[in-house]
Amino acid sequence: MEFAPVRWGVLSTADIGLKKVIPAMLVSNLSRVDAIASRSSGTAREAAAQLGLEKAYGSYEDLLADPEIEAVYIPLPNHLHREWTIKAAEAGKHVLCEKPLAISSADAREMVAACEGSGVQLMEAFMYRLHPMWRKAVQLIEDGAIGEVRAVQIVFSYFNDDPSNIRNIPEFGGGALFDIGCYAVSVARMIFASEPTTIKASIERDQRFGTDVLASVLLDFAGRHASFVCSTLLEENQRVEIYGSDGRILVEIPFNIPPDRPTRVLQLSGGEPPVAPGMVVHELAPANSYTVQADVFSRSVRTGIPVPIAPHDSVAGIEVIEQIFASARV
């Protein structure tokens, strides 16, 4: 089905937008980024010139008032997601919002209700779920390639001790769980296609920042386990290992997936584990998660089909994060 590209605006000149998401959207055949907004008109003009965008606005309100803009991408700090998603919905704009969708499930439910009430699409930007590498991994699981999946282990970490960085400011929704632990929660719920029945967690908070900087979590899905460690004060690393009764799957770079080189899903079983297990390498052609994300969202805008990451699924993920925090306080 052919249709005109969706005309996009971007609320914020955040690095993730300027360096990753917008450049990827600009090569999408289904999306057209026309405008960017900042609280500073000079900053907006500079960003627009850098990216070759037609319009620059010195306020988010001005961009939302542009009748030609159909959809907005929101990479604002976490604590601003609710406010500007609701304002965008009220302006009749479809919304692609950076993860986490909100910093509370109550806020997330308000956002979903606002978008449903205005008849616009809303999707949380968990771009990794849409990449061919993860589609292959999920297909292998569904096809029974490793038997019954009973356990998942996830690691996601980086080192950032800059007190001025928004990831280290509690009132901005900073901390390891909201920034990267949300990926672990998302992938566990995706693999088991259900919600955890029991949650146990231990969380270490930084005395300087007050944010959670190390979390170790066990999610029990009715006898199937997902365990993960996430941290903002460890060596940079990420990996997902999925264990089944007949083998295991290793996803080497599960979240920050390289856009410019092939990716691999390793299927291991038999042999003489762990010394020499049998291995099948599933190599996927290069793909940019952010371009794929723009494509699928724009297609939903044009056709009206539901977005692949349902808003109510995002609310449920935030509820799990809230339960993790509650478990660690017990």
Side-chain angles (χ1 to χ4, degrees):
M1 180 184 297
E2 294 185 3
F3 50 76
V6 171
R7 300 172 75 107
W8 286 80
V10 179
L11 299 186
S12 170
T13 53
D15 276 355
I16 188 173
L18 299 184
K19 296 179 180 178
K20 293 185 178 181
V21 181
I22 299 173
M25 294 175 72
L26 290 173
V27 300
S28 165
N29 293 324
L30 308 181
S31 304
R32 171 177 167 174
V33 185
D34 282 359
I36 191 166
S38 172
R39 295 192 186 278
S40 161
S41 57
T43 301
R45 286 195 299 270
E46 182 180 340
Q50 172 187 331
L51 295 162
L53 308 185
E54 291 182 1
K55 303 176 183 179
Y57 290 105
S59 76
Y60 306 142
E61 291 91 346
D62 287 348
L63 187 148
L64 293 179
D66 185 336
E68 294 185 335
I69 298 300
E70 301 173 271
V72 294
Y73 165 59
I74 300 180
L76 289 162
N78 296 341
H79 70 300
L80 297 177
H81 290 180
R82 173 193 171 276
E83 174 185 358
W84 290 102
T85 292
I86 292 174
K87 287 182 176 179
E90 291 172 346
K93 313 302 185 187
H94 302 278
V95 180
L96 175 65
C97 183
E98 262 307 329
K99 56 80 202 163
L101 186 65
I103 57 175
S104 76
S105 58
D107 284 356
R109 283 189 288 270
E110 286 187 50
M111 295 159 69
V112 173
C115 290
E116 289 179 344
S118 295
V120 298
Q121 299 276 13
L122 170 65
M123 189 173 83
E124 185 178 26
F126 269 128
M127 73 298 174
Y128 83 91
R129 280 195 181 191
L130 309 172
H131 192 279
M133 179 184 70
W134 268 110
R135 291 180 179 175
K136 181 63 177 181
V138 170
Q139 178 190 332
L140 289 170
I141 293 168
E142 292 176 346
D143 290 347
I146 60 171
E148 181 184 3
V149 175
R150 297 298 303 273
V152 181
Q153 292 186 332
I154 307 155
V155 174
F156 200 178
S157 62
Y158 62 82
F159 190 92
N160 180 346
D161 64 351
D162 177 2
S164 66
N165 190 285
I166 59 173
R167 293 168 181 82
N168 294 322
I169 302 175
E171 55 267 33
F172 287 2
L177 274 169
F178 274 131
D179 190 42
I180 52 178
C182 61
Y183 283 95
V185 169
S186 173
V187 78
R189 295 174 56 253
M190 177 178 69
I191 289 170
F192 288 128
S194 62
E195 303 301 330
T197 52
T198 306
I199 295 173
K200 298 179 181 179
S202 178
I203 293 176
E204 183 72 19
R205 292 186 178 274
D206 191 282
Q207 293 183 354
R208 299 165 296 172
F209 312 138
T211 54
D212 55 295
V213 293
L214 174 64
S216 298
V217 180
L218 174 63
L219 305 176
D220 188 328
F221 292 81
R224 301 169 298 167
H225 293 175
S227 57
F228 72 85
V229 171
C230 65
S231 177
T232 56
L233 290 179
L234 290 179
E235 169 71 11
E236 183 174 352
N237 188 32
Q238 55 183 272
R239 63 194 290 119
V240 173
E241 198 148 12
I242 305 160
Y243 295 88
S245 56
D246 299 326
R248 59 190 170 95
I249 289 172
L250 173 63
V251 183
E252 297 173 304
I253 310 176
F255 306 123
N256 300 129
I257 306 170
D260 54 354
R261 60 179 185 268
T263 52
R264 305 191 308 169
V265 176
L266 306 185
Q267 179 185 342
L268 303 103
S269 64
E272 299 178 359
V275 179
M279 182 169 67
V280 178
V281 178
H282 303 275
E283 185 169 288
L284 290 306
N288 190 314
S289 298
Y290 298 109
T291 303
V292 176
Q293 177 176 256
D295 286 346
V296 298
F297 190 88
S298 291
R299 187 174 290 111
S300 290
V301 167
R302 282 286 179 260
T303 64
I305 62 174
V307 293
I309 302 172
H312 291 284
D313 180 83
S314 297
V315 174
I318 295 169
E319 289 174 341
V320 171
I321 293 175
E322 290 174 331
Q323 293 173 57
I324 291 170
F325 280 121
S327 171
R329 289 194 293 267
V330 173

